[in-house]
Amino acid sequence: MSLGSTQKGACVPDLSVRIGKLELPYPTLMASGCYGSGEEFEPFADLSQIGAVVLKSVTREPRLGNPMPRLVATPAGMLNAIGLQNPGIDWYLDNEVAKFAKRPCVVIGSVAAFSVDDYAYVTQRLAARAEIAAIELNISCPNVGSEGETFACDPDLTGRVVRAVRAVTDKTLIVKLSPNVTDIAAIAGEAESAGADALAVINTLRGMSIDVHAWKPRLGNVSGGLSGPAIRPVAVLAVYEAARAVSIPIVGQGGIENATDALEFFLAGASAIAIGTANFTDPRIPIKIVDELRAYLAARGLRSLRDIVGKANVGFGSPFQYEGDVG
Amino acid sequence: MSLGSTQKGACVPDLSVRIGKLELPYPTLMASGCYGSGEEFEPFADLSQIGAVVLKSVTREPRLGNPMPRLVATPAGMLNAIGLQNPGIDWYLDNEVAKFAKRPCVVIGSVAAFSVDDYAYVTQRLAARAEIAAIELNISCPNVGSEGETFACDPDLTGRVVRAVRAVTDKTLIVKLSPNVTDIAAIAGEAESAGADALAVINTLRGMSIDVHAWKPRLGNVSGGLSGPAIRPVAVLAVYEAARAVSIPIVGQGGIENATDALEFFLAGASAIAIGTANFTDPRIPIKIVDELRAYLAARGLRSLRDIVGKANVGFGSPFQYEGDVG
Amino acid sequence: MLAGPSVRDVVVLDRTELAPGVVLLGFYAPELVAVTRPGQFVMAVPPGGERAATALAIYEAQGERASFLFFVCGARTRELAELRHGDKLSLTGPLGNGFTFAGARDVAIVAGGVGIASVLLPAQMLVEAGARVRLFYGARSVDFLVDRDRFATAGCELCCATNDGSLGHRGFITELLAAAEDKPDLILACGPSPMLRATAFVASELGVPAQLALEEAFACGVGGCWGCVVPLDRASPQAPKFPKPAGDDGFVYARVCKEGPVFWAHELRW
Amino acid sequence: MLAGPSVRDVVVLDRTELAPGVVLLGFYAPELVAVTRPGQFVMAVPPGGERAATALAIYEAQGERASFLFFVCGARTRELAELRHGDKLSLTGPLGNGFTFAGARDVAIVAGGVGIASVLLPAQMLVEAGARVRLFYGARSVDFLVDRDRFATAGCELCCATNDGSLGHRGFITELLAAAEDKPDLILACGPSPMLRATAFVASELGVPAQLALEEAFACGVGGCWGCVVPLDRASPQAPKFPKPAGDDGFVYARVCKEGPVFWAHELRW
Ligand SMILES: Cc1cc2nc3c(=O)[nH]c(=O)nc-3n(C[C@H](O)[C@H](O)[C@H](O)COP(=O)(O)OP(=O)(O)OC[C@H]3O[C@@H](n4cnc5c(N)ncnc54)[C@H](O)[C@@H]3O)c2cc1C
Ligand SMILES: Cc1cc2nc3c(=O)[nH]c(=O)nc-3n(C[C@H](O)[C@H](O)[C@H](O)COP(=O)(O)OP(=O)(O)OC[C@H]3O[C@@H](n4cnc5c(N)ncnc54)[C@H](O)[C@@H]3O)c2cc1C
Ligand SMILES: Cc1cc2nc3c(=O)[nH]c(=O)nc-3n(C[C@H](O)[C@H](O)[C@H](O)COP(=O)(O)O)c2cc1C
Ligand SMILES: Cc1cc2nc3c(=O)[nH]c(=O)nc-3n(C[C@H](O)[C@H](O)[C@H](O)COP(=O)(O)O)c2cc1C
Ligand code: FES
Ligand code: FES
């Protein structure tokens, strides 16, 4: 994609982003666990127009996943407790990964584990495959007992796991943080010093819903992860605080449904965004967002998305005062 | 209020609750900061039918409060950053407190501060007044820099401040916890050991919203506190986890709009609930909730609200399977 | 076979309230009609909608018009129920694997409440193919036994049950199925979980194979999130071919939206 | 004076779209009409509504019918705009302190966009009391200068401005106010903040007192949350009588919903 002409009016803004060694034509990632391997959405969205798919998290051993029910609708959001159902890294490498070569977009692997060693082991094997452009480290899954999330809830553990994984791959490493912590900036700083190339901010908030007729939790796993527009204000602040603590790029996520939402994250300091739950409303949303971002930049005579990253406190004065929604 | 007859069909369920030394006829508190001193809502709700009003938090010195704007609507919720605007304890005692005697409901004072000494000082002076039935300790206000919230984000500080306050009053002491922590159960346990009579769970989640036209935060204070239905799943889980960690009663709150929502909190382990943001939709909601709770219990032949507290895992079998909303 | 699922905006043609809270919503969608098979569903959302999509069975599919039949039970169905002639609606589908009934001669279709929405298409196709079709239709009361005429007109024999006895047998529809004189050679069913479980039980007693259309909560609806699962016998041809984890007891979680929504009763492990 | 605010459900009588996105919603509310004073507002929410209430000025108030005039700009106003004849609506009010204009003889009313909603009642009362009333009315384009006839019929002189020049002066309405030949003895204004600021400036240049009806974001609407504040001169009779904090620079935050929504322009510190 061209950088666009400098002439105002004729300008085609540049939406490409760089995350570590990764060059993405669009700043829109499909959030892990929400988009399968991309294949599932191919009939409904032109994958060549999205930035990247982050695959569903894979673990060392096969996992049955959590008992049903795994989903509950909540106000402006949803709870999920999938529990990392997946076939394990061996089967995955043998039967799944080769197919990813066919995707017309960048494919990012997601790794989950329950020990530092397993994080490194799975990452090493997965990152060795050419089909996988980068690795996202899911150290913040709230749906597998307390184990999975412990890593992203403790600066020390975060540092240890990121260092161990950094040692086994040169591919771009995105570390996914949890919002269920007292101080996300501290964890973000740890991940950066330990060698992360980028951060994904945020994974889901921990939550619970109770069936008041049956007197029991509505999720088989009792608690789950809250996503969707409900958590957007929490996510925007987490990105804002993490961005002030680190200088590596941030993939902002949590409740993004349209370009206006996405712009909140860019202005807060995200270099790219991920879209999860909104794909469940309409799989055309990621592509609409790209179109609207382009229009937003063009209308303001801006040449690149990079020009707005982290500018939440700058103030964009007249003559460019717009009212109403973007687009 | 009578315990109700044991005869099924004629049973009038008992909604009264005991919180420390406090006996409330109804389990419905009006959340601090959302209901003024009760007076503001008197034309719209019969205060003799609510459990108690928790007053707006008061500090040692007068406070100007945060710059405007202080409110933003968000999906299924809102952000606020009031910043504890209040006249300070001297003026408050001289000019406000006497009026509370006229309220036809229990009045609970709320104390905020920035040091252990000030918490104790303000509590001592406020609790000395007969008009104040109990004290809620707001150690979890997210809108006054990081200072206010620090107490509820650190088990040590929580313990210190609660011990200091406990030493100066025999009145019922409710400690209000923050959800913006890694492990709320640990903080809850600290508050209990330090002498709290009850816990209020939860205060608002920290969040932020950005005006993408003006490129600046939509709150004068940059970040604020998220309340309303959006946070309900987070609040229900926090109550559930706190209730397993302590044996003192819990005042559940966060996004309660109707009896179904309230029942989630009781089943999760709350003995009482507080209603904040929902009063902004319709001030009749607290009274509707009481009516519907009574009907819910009666329909199941239950004599007291106490019979359902913490029963989320018990399962309420047939023949009492109900579908659809409560009431 | 699964030809041409896609996402598109369609226009509402008609809207009828068949019973309190039971809405029939017709819309213009010739391409959807062309590729829909009985038992499939779509994910539907009003445009500018703020909520996740709702899974809805395709009730009618003829010519240029398809329809939904749904019960208003929450925020999403409430929003859908507010649509009127000319309003737009975004649909992703058709999705999932439908019923398979090739060669069946005597079919019992069991429908409970809005489960009726999944069984009009198979009933029509079966009658057309010359099979005998008995519809065992149960609901709270006669008012909720909606659109019975259409099934009668289509050539089905109707056996009804209501909880309150306002029409037909007072009690559960599966009691009628169990008591039926001639044994069907296939059972198709859609309705609330307890009815489906009872149907599975009766079918196994009778020794008749049964296909159940399940209705779990969905998120993506396209197999991307693994949220809508049910435990399925690992030996089922529909079971995901994942290796067994340690401590596995013979089942694997299958996605209702992708491997289903229709499963063989004897392969479900719930 | 502030007689009988209450919370009640009212029934919608009529709904008209005066311009794209500008809705006039009439409802049956004789008790509200009886106690409403010009410049007051209510908190409105559709019943079963899932959102906080919306603050809306009381536009008309006559006999048994009152109305709102509002612009659809977000989720809440969108929901209100969907109401139709016979639908219910929950209202808390009337709230706030209105305009005070006793004794004024020559009044300039400045309205921008839907700010017009706050000024019909004072205009009518002023004309009835024998005052001269000039309405300075500005909007994007002529289409958004809604309901002008009603003001003319009520006996107001109209001066209009539009951004695009489609009616009257091309530019800001405050430019017309500044250029007016005879100085009014009172200015009342309602509209977007930039317009109100400009009005305050012009008023101070002219040396004419001005009352501004502000529209901040509200939560409770009744003075209970201190969310809707504006900085106000501590010397204002409307200022909360709190002691000065350390480092105070002369203002105190006053609640728009309780101390306002109408303030004297020269007492505002924004
Ligand atoms: C493949 C498939 C096909 C389907 N086809 C149809 C169809 O054709 N017609 C049809 O009507 N439905 C159908 N459904 C079901 C339909 O998708 C759901 O009913 C719908 O998603 C409900 O959405 P909602 O937001 O309106 O309700 P939700 O808010 O999601 O509520 C759903 C259910 O939960 C209950 N509930 C909500 N809140 C509570 C609470 N606090 N406590 C206890 N219970 C509560 C409600 O009473 C309701 O029964 C189908 C589902 C699937 C999976
Ligand atoms: C005392 C008083 C009286 C009032 N009287 C009237 C009246 O009579 N008529 C009337 O029309 N209004 C009136 N208002 C204003 C009205 O209350 C608000 O417009 C209303 O609350 C909007 O609610 P909403 O949910 O529809 O919009 P919201 O979602 O709250 O949006 C409000 C504004 O924010 C903007 N906005 C929303 N999201 C974004 C974003 N992401 N980026 C940038 N901007 C955004 C919208 O464009 C809109 O201008 C009054 C207000 C007050 C305080
Ligand atoms: C159904 C579902 C499954 C998810 N599974 C994973 C997962 O396997 N790994 C992971 O890192 N995040 C997972 N997430 C979190 C999302 O990737 C995303 O970070 C989060 O949902 C916030 O974004 P959203 O509000 O746009 O969905 C999942 C989220 C949902 C809703
Ligand atoms: C506008 C507003 C002001 C608040 N002010 C206070 C306060 O002064 N002290 C306090 O302890 N909590 C305060 N809270 C938090 C509420 O008391 C309550 O704990 C929280 O909003 C969650 O409940 P809800 O979702 O029902 O509003 C405030 C909340 C809101 C919305
Ligand atoms: S709903 Fe996502 S896999 Fe079925
Ligand atoms: S909106 Fe609550 S005080 Fe004004």
Side-chain angles (χ1 to χ4, degrees):
Chain A
M1 143 149 241
S2 101
L3 201 82
S5 142
T6 54
Q7 243 182 297
K8 228 193 105 192
C11 145
V12 177
D14 178 17
L15 292 182
S16 70
V17 293
R18 202 190 159 88
I19 302 177
K21 296 176 181 152
L22 219 51
E23 293 274 4
L24 303 179
Y26 304 105
T28 40
L29 284 72
M30 301 304 107
S32 176
C34 300
Y35 215 70
S37 74
E39 192 183 4
E40 293 83 351
F41 281 87
E42 219 153 7
F44 315 113
D46 178 356
L47 298 190
S48 74
Q49 289 191 55
I50 65 170
V53 172
V54 185
L55 301 166
K56 198 177 153 41
S57 301
V58 65
T59 56
R60 182 169 194 150
E61 304 296 336
R63 285 179 57 87
L64 194 57
N66 285 328
M68 60 180 287
R70 293 178 176 179
L71 301 171
V72 183
T74 67
M78 56 175 282
L79 287 167
N80 85 80
I82 313 296
L84 296 175
Q85 175 170 2
N86 82 90
I89 188 67
D90 289 338
W91 197 92
Y92 194 69
L93 292 173
D94 292 348
N95 298 280
E96 293 280 335
V97 176
K99 294 185 216 158
F100 305 154
K102 281 183 292 191
R103 300 279 178 283
C105 63
V106 170
V107 174
I108 300 175
S110 170
V111 172
F114 303 92
S115 71
V116 171
D117 285 353
D118 283 0
Y119 270 113
Y121 174 83
V122 178
T123 301
Q124 184 162 34
R125 295 197 55 200
L126 189 58
R129 292 289 295 259
E131 297 90 344
I132 303 292
I135 295 288
E136 184 170 281
L137 220 54
N138 177 5
I139 57 169
S140 48
C141 178
N143 298 325
V144 285
S146 60
E147 305 164 287
E149 201 178 34
T150 309
F151 289 91
C153 289
D154 181 308
D156 262 18
L157 281 174
T158 300
R160 278 178 51 207
V161 72
V162 174
R163 265 188 301 276
V165 168
R166 177 74 292 169
V168 301
T169 183
D170 289 332
K171 284 195 173 159
T172 298
L173 186 61
I174 305 169
V175 177
K176 189 160 181 181
L177 302 188
S178 165
N180 305 303
V181 298
T182 309
D183 182 7
I184 200 167
I187 316 257
E190 258 325 307
E192 180 182 42
S193 341
D197 295 310
L199 303 175
V201 178
I202 56 176
N203 210 319
T204 51
L205 279 162
R206 295 180 62 234
M208 177 179 186
S209 174
I210 295 171
D211 183 330
V212 306
H213 306 294
W215 288 20
K216 51 181 198 191
R218 307 186 125 225
L219 290 172
N221 186 51
V222 180
S223 69
L226 185 64
S227 65
I231 70 168
R232 193 163 61 233
V234 174
V236 170
L237 180 60
V239 167
Y240 182 80
E241 294 189 338
R244 302 187 148 227
V246 301
S247 53
I248 50 179
I250 291 175
V251 183
Q253 59 203 281
I256 296 174
E257 288 194 309
N258 55 46
T260 305
D261 301 344
L263 285 160
E264 285 199 59
F265 284 83
F266 292 121
L267 289 165
S271 298
I273 54 151
I275 301 160
T277 305
N279 287 303
F280 309 159
T281 299
D282 191 330
R284 294 170 295 187
I285 284 176
I287 288 154
K288 257 188 228 161
I289 289 180
V290 162
D291 290 343
E292 288 172 9
L293 286 177
R294 228 187 254 117
Y296 175 93
L297 295 173
R300 283 157 184 75
L302 298 168
R303 290 164 55 184
S304 165
L305 190 61
R306 285 182 285 271
D307 295 344
I308 74 167
V309 169
K311 297 286 168 66
N313 284 318
V314 172
F316 194 90
S318 37
F320 294 109
Q321 281 288 6
Y322 284 81
E323 293 265 324
D325 277 335
V326 170
Chain B
M1 141 148 241
S2 103
L3 200 80
S5 143
T6 53
Q7 241 180 299
K8 231 192 105 192
C11 148
V12 177
D14 178 16
L15 293 182
S16 71
V17 293
R18 203 189 157 89
I19 302 177
K21 296 178 180 149
L22 218 51
E23 294 275 5
L24 302 180
Y26 304 106
T28 40
L29 285 72
M30 301 304 107
S32 176
C34 300
Y35 215 70
S37 73
E39 191 183 6
E40 292 83 351
F41 280 86
E42 220 154 5
F44 315 112
D46 178 356
L47 298 191
S48 73
Q49 288 191 56
I50 65 170
V53 171
V54 185
L55 301 166
K56 194 172 158 42
S57 302
V58 64
T59 55
R60 183 169 192 150
E61 304 296 336
R63 284 178 58 85
L64 195 57
N66 284 330
M68 60 181 285
R70 293 179 176 178
L71 302 171
V72 182
T74 66
M78 57 174 282
L79 287 168
N80 86 79
I82 312 296
L84 296 174
Q85 175 170 3
N86 82 90
I89 188 68
D90 289 337
W91 197 91
Y92 193 69
L93 292 173
D94 292 347
N95 297 279
E96 293 282 334
V97 177
K99 294 185 214 157
F100 305 154
K102 281 183 292 189
R103 299 280 179 282
C105 64
V106 170
V107 174
I108 299 175
S110 170
V111 172
F114 303 92
S115 71
V116 171
D117 285 353
D118 283 359
Y119 271 112
Y121 174 83
V122 178
T123 301
Q124 184 163 33
R125 293 196 57 199
L126 189 58
R129 293 289 294 259
E131 297 90 343
I132 301 293
I135 296 288
E136 184 170 279
L137 220 53
N138 177 6
I139 57 170
S140 48
C141 178
N143 298 326
V144 286
S146 60
E147 306 165 286
E149 202 179 31
T150 309
F151 289 92
C153 288
D154 181 309
D156 262 18
L157 281 174
T158 300
R160 279 177 51 206
V161 71
V162 174
R163 266 188 301 276
V165 168
R166 178 75 291 171
V168 301
T169 182
D170 289 331
K171 284 194 175 160
T172 299
L173 186 62
I174 305 169
V175 177
K176 189 160 183 181
L177 302 187
S178 165
N180 305 303
V181 298
T182 309
D183 182 5
I184 200 167
I187 317 257
E190 255 329 304
E192 180 181 41
S193 340
D197 295 309
L199 304 175
V201 178
I202 55 176
N203 209 320
T204 51
L205 280 160
R206 295 180 62 235
M208 176 179 186
S209 175
I210 295 172
D211 183 330
V212 306
H213 305 295
W215 288 22
K216 49 180 200 191
R218 308 186 124 222
L219 289 172
N221 187 50
V222 180
S223 70
L226 185 64
S227 65
I231 70 168
R232 193 164 61 234
V234 175
V236 170
L237 180 60
V239 167
Y240 182 80
E241 295 190 335
R244 299 184 150 228
V246 302
S247 53
I248 49 178
I250 290 175
V251 183
Q253 59 202 280
I256 296 174
E257 287 195 307
N258 55 46
T260 305
D261 301 343
L263 285 160
E264 285 200 59
F265 284 83
F266 292 121
L267 289 165
S271 298
I273 54 151
I275 301 159
T277 305
N279 287 304
F280 309 159
T281 300
D282 190 331
R284 294 169 297 188
I285 285 176
I287 288 154
K288 257 190 228 158
I289 289 180
V290 162
D291 290 343
E292 289 173 10
L293 287 177
R294 228 185 255 118
Y296 176 94
L297 295 173
R300 283 155 183 77
L302 297 168
R303 290 166 54 185
S304 166
L305 190 61
R306 285 182 286 271
D307 295 343
I308 73 167
V309 170
K311 296 287 168 65
N313 284 317
V314 173
F316 194 92
S318 39
F320 293 110
Q321 281 288 8
Y322 284 83
E323 293 265 324
D325 277 336
V326 169
Chain C
M1 261 300 274
L2 206 135
S6 70
V7 51
R8 56 173 79 82
D9 291 330
V10 303
V11 173
V12 173
L13 295 173
D14 51 84
R15 179 214 182 262
T16 323
E17 192 149 349
L18 300 180
V22 180
V23 175
L24 178 67
L25 194 75
F27 47 91
Y28 178 85
E31 301 104 331
L32 185 75
V33 170
V35 297
T36 294
R37 288 168 302 117
Q40 286 190 299
F41 67 94
V42 303
M43 299 298 287
V45 63
E50 301 168 66
R51 305 174 206 281
T54 316
L56 292 174
I58 302 162
Y59 180 51
E60 300 162 279
Q62 190 137 45
E64 309 195 309
R65 177 177 171 281
S67 72
F68 303 135
L69 183 62
F70 61 93
F71 188 70
V72 178
C73 66
R76 289 174 293 177
T77 42
R78 201 182 316 126
E79 243 176 54
L80 289 168
E82 275 163 17
L83 294 175
R84 294 289 184 283
H85 176 83
D87 286 345
K88 273 196 192 168
L89 187 65
S90 141
L91 301 185
T92 302
L95 298 167
N97 295 304
F99 294 105
T100 42
F101 41 71
R105 302 302 314 150
D106 185 349
V107 180
I109 294 183
V110 188
V114 286
I116 197 72
S118 295
V119 299
L120 178 64
L121 294 184
Q124 289 172 336
M125 281 186 65
L126 279 161
V127 172
E128 256 168 56
R132 173 187 185 201
V133 178
R134 278 174 286 173
L135 176 68
F136 292 85
Y137 188 7
R140 265 181 276 170
S141 71
V142 60
D143 291 345
F144 292 91
L145 284 171
V146 298
D147 229 17
R148 297 192 301 282
D149 290 353
R150 191 189 306 255
F151 284 82
T153 312
C156 303
E157 299 166 33
L158 259 74
C159 312
C160 294
T162 49
N163 298 357
D164 64 359
S166 51
L167 188 86
H169 172 67
R170 177 199 296 265
F172 296 127
I173 190 63
T174 44
E175 294 160 3
L176 283 191
L177 177 68
E181 303 238 316
D182 336 324
K183 217 157 89 166
D185 55 23
L186 178 66
I187 296 172
L188 309 180
C190 187
S193 297
M195 188 209 83
L196 294 181
R197 277 164 221 252
T199 303
F201 179 78
V202 172
S204 106
E205 295 283 299
L206 296 176
V208 175
Q211 289 173 28
L212 312 181
L214 304 190
E215 297 194 352
E216 285 303 313
F218 281 5
C220 70
V222 301
C225 76
W226 293 85
C228 60
V229 297
V230 283
L232 193 69
D233 197 325
R234 281 195 179 265
S236 165
Q238 285 172 275
K241 297 288 159 286
F242 285 9
K244 291 190 194 186
D248 168 58
D249 45 7
F251 67 86
V252 61
Y253 286 111
R255 296 164 294 187
V256 174
C257 72
K258 189 81 176 181
E259 281 81 48
V262 179
F263 294 96
W264 289 103
H266 62 278
E267 293 181 347
L268 287 166
R269 288 286 167 272
W270 42 238
Chain D
M1 261 300 274
L2 206 136
S6 70
V7 51
R8 56 174 78 81
D9 291 330
V10 303
V11 174
V12 172
L13 295 174
D14 52 84
R15 179 215 183 262
T16 324
E17 191 150 350
L18 300 181
V22 180
V23 174
L24 177 67
L25 194 76
F27 47 91
Y28 179 84
E31 300 102 332
L32 184 75
V33 169
V35 297
T36 294
R37 288 169 300 119
Q40 287 191 299
F41 67 95
V42 303
M43 300 298 287
V45 63
E50 301 169 66
R51 305 174 206 281
T54 316
L56 291 174
I58 302 162
Y59 180 51
E60 301 162 280
Q62 190 137 44
E64 309 194 312
R65 178 178 171 280
S67 73
F68 302 135
L69 182 62
F70 61 94
F71 189 69
V72 178
C73 64
R76 289 174 292 177
T77 42
R78 200 181 318 125
E79 243 176 54
L80 289 168
E82 274 163 16
L83 294 175
R84 296 288 185 282
H85 176 84
D87 285 345
K88 272 195 192 169
L89 186 67
S90 142
L91 301 185
T92 302
L95 298 168
N97 294 305
F99 294 105
T100 41
F101 42 72
R105 301 303 313 151
D106 185 347
V107 179
I109 294 183
V110 188
V114 286
I116 197 72
S118 295
V119 299
L120 178 63
L121 294 184
Q124 289 171 335
M125 281 187 63
L126 279 161
V127 172
E128 256 168 56
R132 174 187 185 202
V133 177
R134 277 173 287 173
L135 176 67
F136 291 85
Y137 189 7
R140 265 182 276 171
S141 70
V142 60
D143 292 345
F144 292 91
L145 284 171
V146 299
D147 229 17
R148 298 193 301 282
D149 289 354
R150 191 189 305 257
F151 285 82
T153 313
C156 302
E157 299 164 34
L158 258 73
C159 314
C160 295
T162 49
N163 298 356
D164 63 0
S166 51
L167 188 85
H169 172 67
R170 177 199 295 265
F172 295 127
I173 189 64
T174 44
E175 293 161 3
L176 283 191
L177 177 69
E181 301 238 317
D182 335 324
K183 214 156 89 165
D185 56 22
L186 177 66
I187 297 172
L188 309 180
C190 187
S193 297
M195 188 208 84
L196 294 181
R197 277 164 221 252
T199 304
F201 179 79
V202 172
S204 103
E205 293 283 298
L206 295 176
V208 175
Q211 290 173 29
L212 312 181
L214 304 191
E215 297 193 352
E216 285 303 312
F218 281 5
C220 71
V222 300
C225 76
W226 293 84
C228 60
V229 297
V230 282
L232 194 69
D233 196 325
R234 281 195 180 265
S236 165
Q238 285 171 275
K241 296 287 159 289
F242 285 9
K244 291 189 194 188
D248 167 61
D249 44 8
F251 68 87
V252 60
Y253 287 112
R255 295 163 295 187
V256 174
C257 72
K258 190 80 176 183
E259 280 81 48
V262 178
F263 295 96
W264 288 103
H266 62 278
E267 294 180 346
L268 287 166
R269 288 285 167 275
W270 42 238

